[in-house]
Amino acid sequence: MRHATLPYRPARCGRAGPDRPCDSICRRLPTDLPAPRHDGSWTYRSPAPIGAGLGLGGFSDLVPADSSGREFWTVTDRGPNADAAVDTDKIFLKPDYTPQILRIRLGRDGGIEIVRRIPLRVPAGRTDPVTGTRFLTGLPPAALTAERPVGLAGEVLPDDPYGLDSEGLVRLHDGSFWISSEYGSSLLHFSASGVLDTVLVPAGSAYTAPGVRVLAILPAVEAKQKNNKGLEGLTVSADGRTLYAAQQTQLSNPDSKAAKKSRVQRVFRIDVSRSTPRLTGEFAFAREADSATDGGWSTSAISWLGPDRLLIEERDGLRPTVWTRLSEVDFGGATDLLGSRWDDPATVPALELDASSVVLGAKRPVFDAAAAGLTNGKIEGISVLPGRRGTVELFLVGDDDFGVGAVENGVVVPNGAVSRVDRYTLPAGAVVLDRR
């Protein structure tokens, strides 16, 4: 497997092979840079009640609302849930919960204030079959996932054709939003007021939603995701014309064993400058070897640094985190996989098992959360803003899972987590932002 070349002296790469994309990251930080500086934390102290004895939470991305470093957009995920005894089941503690886009403010007292809430809705003239209103839910659409929703008592809940597990968020210059959903690798477009109008899905998908434009432009192979492990990381170029969407984990390609064995993940580039979105690129990078959690690491957040250059997260789900690292990945010299044989689910061997014939994105570590003393966990949103004299302000938000750790004997076990934003200053030279 070859690697695109970048500035700085590269480290020696290990021998590539079917299950060894690379033994090391190919570009290293200069060793004379000072460590990141922690500049503050903000906590959502009194979560608004959402019913069922639970509070608002699940913050799953972070997008600057302006240049102040004080106000951001975030999105809640599908609502309070927990693992069930059956692997394909998921317990929904509030089935009628409506995911929301939130505008938050970081207060001078260290608190987080919600200054605007935008509940997501179905198109005008339509009714969500679960809520009986225009407000949609986080219950899965059957056409995009085999995950089965159940209630506390184990009763099977209805599917929702409009449902989404909202994870990544971007806001375009016209005020509208794109959201990535883990259900079947899908991307959804909402108006500035939160009305769904367009959904992007993999080729060959049977997904439909009344009143919604469905475009099957993602590669068919993208349907080979594990349940609830679809597209999660999402970002947009500074000019608002190009989306980048990253897989949460490796594809189950050709099977679920490959998802644990592989270290290859894909990123998609999508032109949204016109009324009809168009897929314009598909790239891959090698994630770090996950020996601690047996394939349990996730990429939950990405941020745009420049054309085909992204800040990409790899993390565990522990509180506090043991492994949360951000790397700059440059796809400028990487192989464009779009329309190639690697998009065909029948290709043998699958790219996820042997990527030796393609050039992966060049990767350079930027931030190690544990080494920087971050005590938060499950970071699901990252945001960068230019600082002074070439420094960069890095903001990270942790998903508290609505405070739900598990369900045991029909009783919710709290996880003790909070919704929190942390800010670090990265030294000059650590990363370069292109704001053209």
Side-chain angles (χ1 to χ4, degrees), residues 57-371:
F59 297 177
S60 294
D61 209 343
L62 203 61
V63 177
D66 52 33
S67 61
S68 69
R70 289 288 179 180
E71 294 204 4
F72 296 84
W73 294 97
T74 186
V75 64
T76 73
D77 61 27
R78 58 182 169 174
N81 64 83
D83 292 337
V86 179
D87 286 344
T88 56
D89 289 355
K90 184 67 70 172
I91 300 171
F92 284 77
L93 303 175
K94 195 174 188 307
D96 63 347
Y97 174 78
T98 295
Q100 304 172 52
I101 297 170
L102 308 173
R103 182 164 178 156
I104 63 174
R105 178 180 297 139
L106 308 183
R108 300 192 183 280
D109 62 351
I112 294 176
E113 177 189 1
I114 296 178
V115 296
R116 187 179 178 191
R117 294 167 64 160
I118 305 177
L120 302 180
R121 296 180 293 159
V122 303
R126 305 290 177 170
T127 300
D128 184 274
V130 177
T131 65
T133 68
R134 285 189 62 194
F135 296 114
L136 51 77
T137 75
L139 295 175
L144 289 179
T145 179
E147 189 174 56
R148 187 175 71 164
V150 298
L152 265 176
E155 73 279 16
V156 177
L157 300 172
D159 293 311
D160 188 344
Y162 299 105
L164 77 163
D165 187 358
S166 36
E167 295 291 349
L169 176 74
V170 300
R171 187 170 187 260
L172 302 186
H173 295 332
D174 64 1
S176 67
F177 299 91
W178 279 96
I179 294 177
S180 60
S181 173
E182 292 183 313
Y183 290 142
S185 289
S186 51
L187 297 167
L188 301 91
H189 184 253
F190 292 84
S191 71
S193 60
V195 177
L196 176 63
D197 57 59
T198 301
V199 180
L200 310 183
V201 297
S205 172
Y207 173 81
T208 61
V212 174
R213 180 178 63 159
V214 178
L215 303 175
I217 67 170
L218 299 176
V221 72
E222 188 59 17
K224 303 196 75 171
Q225 280 285 5
K226 294 182 290 185
N227 282 338
N228 195 233
K229 299 293 184 182
L231 296 177
E232 182 157 359
L234 186 66
T235 191
V236 67
S237 58
D239 61 10
R241 299 171 62 90
T242 307
L243 294 182
Y244 293 85
Q247 297 170 342
Q248 181 183 4
T249 60
Q250 307 90 312
L251 290 176
S252 295
N253 185 30
D255 52 34
S256 59
K257 291 181 180 179
K260 288 187 176 182
K261 191 176 184 180
S262 176
R263 289 167 55 193
V264 176
Q265 280 186 237
R266 307 189 191 205
V267 172
F268 300 97
R269 184 182 64 201
I270 304 163
D271 180 357
V272 292
S273 64
R274 301 178 182 180
S275 59
T276 300
R278 182 171 59 95
L279 190 62
T280 62
E282 177 187 354
F283 311 101
F285 71 96
R287 68 185 299 158
E288 295 304 285
D290 178 1
S291 59
T293 60
D294 192 23
W297 286 353
S298 298
T299 291
S300 294
I302 62 177
S303 187
W304 189 83
L305 299 177
D308 291 343
R309 193 164 54 89
L310 307 176
L311 189 62
I312 296 182
E313 175 214 43
E314 296 175 47
R315 67 158 178 84
D316 57 30
L318 304 177
R319 308 178 194 276
T321 180
V322 173
W323 180 284
T324 296
R325 297 186 182 180
L326 309 180
S327 298
E328 176 190 339
V329 183
D330 193 325
F331 298 103
T335 302
D336 188 347
L337 307 171
L338 184 60
S340 70
R341 63 192 181 99
W342 304 113
D343 280 344
D344 184 352
T347 298
V348 178
L351 177 71
E352 284 64 30
L353 293 181
D354 184 0
S356 60
S357 63
V358 306
V359 178
L360 300 182
K363 186 177 180 185
R364 177 174 65 87
V366 170
F367 179 81
D368 184 320

